[in-house]
Amino acid sequence: MLRLFDTAEGRVVPLELRDDGVVSMYVCGPTVYGPPHLGHGRFSLVFDVLRRYLEWSGLEVRYVSNITDIDDKIIQRANDEGRSAQEVAEQYEQVWYQAMDAIGVKRPTEDPHATGYVDRMVELIAELMDRGVAYETSDGVYFDPSGVSDYGLLARQSIDSLRVGARVEANEEKRSPIDFALWKKAKPGEPAWPSPWGPGRPGWHTECVVMSLDLLGDGFDLHGGGQDLAFPHHENERAQAVAAGHTFAHHWMHNGFVEVGGEKMSKSLGNFTNLLDLVESTDPRSYRLLVLQSHYRSPVEVNKATIDAATSALERLDAFARRTADLPPATPDAEALDAFRRHMDDDLDTPAAMDVLFSLVRRGNQALDAGDVHAAAAAAAAVREVCRAVGLELHETSGEVPPEVLELARQRDDARARKDWASADALRDQIQARGFVVEDTPAGTQVRPA
Ligand SMILES: [Zn+2]
């Protein structure tokens, strides 16, 4: 059974499901006002891996992730560029999915858009007003969380210490610095929807609570996002749900930050803070592998060295896949799959799971070298299962020959030119061991994927 660190509990607990065989999860999606950055890529990959693993384990996953298509930042950009907020949101939603497709993140089962749910949000705000936990000011409607007894659960702080730590804003009508906007009254020229408090737009925290409860129902299984969302965003979603009498998410899961390396990296490989630049300048699978090789709660360092290391690890995987592509079908190595499951079930310990994967590759290669086709085929079948479970695509018949293999071919031509047959043969063996076919042609050594 899968156990995960639950932010609300502050410890690792078994993932309990409301409905047998079905996982209902909500992951906060992007505000579509610009291209996605590496942090977006990470949370998307972390929750994609979780989803795929659950599906691989035989569960059905309802994965809801929203698109925030109305927000101050969208309006700001629209004003700066002299176009409508809707145009800006539509453009960057396209860019978002383009990047997600590139890194192999499955589309959500449902992707509710905030603008499609404004009526329901107005209903919730009206209910919170009726219950006396929200109040109107000249610029909007605010929620007062002081009546929510366990407010601070996700921040892991008491409401008093949150109050002390809160940034004091210029807004004098707000009764307490921890109160937050449910409704923002529109200024002239801003996109607006009707409400009992005049035209305006909903606050971000209200969006996710309404959409998650509407699509997944009370007491859905898991709410996730980057750790920067735990407070105040998730805390405030939860506070509204509790105040309105709902049971909110049963489990809370948050992933760690992305640390981006220094100047050297950005000069050599483009500005990695933009996810699209990363996938254009590297093998798009490398970020997934890098994320897998880091624990989801730890920071991940993205720089040229870590991306390069992931890329060459991928090459080892691909070479093994090519080398074993024609082996007879076999039952996957059960011991290795058990170890893989054990690590994944232990709070999604993907670094240990990847160690299992790469030791399978080593053992499979050794078995092939020793002529043990049966053991190699069992390892290869397990490698394919593990890769499928975490969404790592293998390139078995890639037409591309990596530069280091081309370099071996060049060295072999040099050896042949000086009639050093022993070295030429050794180099041929090295190339073949990486899963390539070597052919002698009048133009020299030609290499193609096996
Ligand atoms: Zn959210």
Side-chain angles (χ1 to χ4, degrees):
M1 183 202 285
L2 176 62
R3 296 165 60 84
L4 289 170
F5 183 88
D6 189 315
T7 312
E9 303 240 2
R11 64 192 174 97
V12 176
V13 297
L15 177 70
E16 290 169 0
L17 302 182
R18 179 188 57 189
D19 307 313
D20 274 352
V22 184
V23 184
S24 46
M25 59 190 284
Y26 186 94
V27 177
C28 290
T31 300
V32 280
Y33 72 98
H37 55 69
L38 293 179
H40 293 119
R42 186 180 195 193
F43 87 69
S44 301
L45 285 166
V46 163
F47 290 101
D48 184 67
V49 166
L50 173 63
R51 172 197 189 166
R52 286 175 185 267
Y53 176 65
L54 291 167
E55 289 175 343
W56 180 79
S57 308
L59 294 160
E60 183 193 328
V61 180
R62 286 196 66 199
Y63 187 104
V64 178
S65 190
N66 64 304
I67 299 284
T68 298
D69 58 350
I70 186 66
D71 178 87
D72 295 357
K73 295 197 259 317
I74 297 171
I75 295 169
Q76 180 69 49
R77 182 161 208 138
N79 289 343
D80 290 350
E81 297 177 359
R83 49 192 185 137
S84 73
Q86 193 187 338
E87 271 181 279
V88 169
E90 281 171 4
Q91 181 199 341
Y92 286 107
E93 178 176 342
Q94 264 188 14
V95 173
W96 170 262
Y97 278 123
Q98 188 191 339
M100 291 301 114
D101 291 348
I103 56 172
V105 168
K106 283 176 78 169
R107 298 277 177 117
T109 328
E110 276 154 298
D111 63 347
H113 288 56
T115 52
Y117 273 82
V118 177
D119 292 351
R120 307 295 297 270
M121 297 182 213
V122 168
E123 281 171 28
L124 174 69
I125 298 167
E127 160 132 37
L128 294 170
M129 287 287 273
D130 284 347
R131 288 175 179 248
V133 291
Y135 56 91
E136 187 178 356
T137 67
S138 62
D139 68 344
V141 176
Y142 288 85
F143 183 87
D144 165 13
S146 61
V148 178
S149 62
D150 55 1
Y151 190 78
L153 184 72
L154 296 170
R156 315 285 306 156
Q157 285 187 56
S158 73
I159 193 163
D160 290 332
S161 71
L162 289 169
R163 222 177 252 129
V164 170
R167 186 161 47 101
V168 179
E169 294 160 52
N171 185 345
E172 286 173 10
E173 290 181 76
K174 245 171 78 166
R175 294 176 192 164
S176 162
I178 58 169
D179 295 357
F180 58 89
L182 301 173
W183 188 256
K184 298 178 176 189
K185 293 182 182 174
K187 298 188 191 79
E190 285 183 347
W193 287 259
S195 86
W197 318 282
R201 62 184 183 277
W204 179 39
H205 310 315
T206 302
E207 182 188 317
C208 286
V209 66
V210 166
M211 296 191 292
S212 59
L213 286 172
D214 188 71
L215 290 167
L216 296 172
D218 277 28
F220 64 91
D221 298 320
L222 182 85
H223 196 320
Q227 73 182 43
D228 51 326
L229 294 190
F231 185 87
H233 182 52
H234 289 161
E235 190 83 56
N236 288 348
E237 284 184 35
R238 189 180 168 280
Q240 293 168 81
V242 170
H246 291 281
T247 314
F248 204 44
H250 188 44
H251 295 284
W252 290 92
M253 176 175 166
H254 294 99
N255 65 273
F257 291 123
V258 172
E259 288 168 0
V260 179
E263 207 180 4
K264 200 171 171 194
M265 175 206 74
S266 55
K267 275 185 188 152
S268 53
L269 279 171
N271 182 4
F272 269 2
T273 59
N274 180 331
L275 185 59
L276 281 174
D277 291 341
L278 176 72
V279 298
E280 275 162 20
S281 56
T282 63
D283 184 331
R285 299 172 300 159
S286 60
Y287 194 27
R288 178 179 294 261
L289 183 57
L290 182 53
V291 164
L292 283 164
Q293 287 178 320
S294 322
H295 192 267
Y296 77 89
R297 287 195 279 131
S298 306
V300 60
E301 174 76 30
V302 184
N303 57 42
K304 185 173 186 319
T306 59
I307 287 289
D308 282 353
T311 307
S312 46
L314 277 172
E315 177 44 41
R316 287 203 302 282
L317 266 182
D318 287 345
F320 181 67
R322 285 191 293 268
R323 205 181 170 200
T324 56
D326 297 327
L327 291 184
T331 309
D333 182 323
E335 212 174 298
L337 280 191
D338 281 350
F340 168 72
R341 269 194 209 95
R342 209 164 47 242
H343 293 308
M344 292 296 279
D345 286 347
D346 178 16
D347 194 23
L348 224 55
D349 188 353
T350 55
M354 290 302 98
D355 287 347
V356 170
L357 175 66
F358 284 99
S359 79
L360 272 168
V361 169
R362 267 194 307 280
R363 280 184 3 233
N365 276 322
Q366 284 160 3
L368 274 181
D369 294 342
D372 186 347
V373 171
H374 183 76
V383 163
R384 282 172 175 74
E385 277 300 304
V386 167
C387 287
R388 191 165 68 81
V390 298
L392 264 182
E393 193 187 310
L394 293 169
H395 291 178
E396 284 181 5
T397 52
S398 156
E400 277 187 23
V401 178
E404 57 271 38
V405 172
L406 292 174
E407 171 62 16
L408 293 176
R410 199 192 56 73
Q411 287 172 19
R412 180 168 183 266
D413 285 340
D414 288 350
R416 284 167 63 88
R418 57 176 193 270
K419 301 195 190 311
D420 178 359
W421 309 117
S423 297
D425 287 350
L427 285 158
R428 185 195 58 213
D429 292 347
Q430 278 185 51
I431 296 168
Q432 285 172 342
R434 302 185 66 137
F436 294 87
V437 173
V438 176
E439 283 163 338
D440 292 319
T441 74
T445 302
Q446 293 290 307
V447 176
R448 61 175 171 81

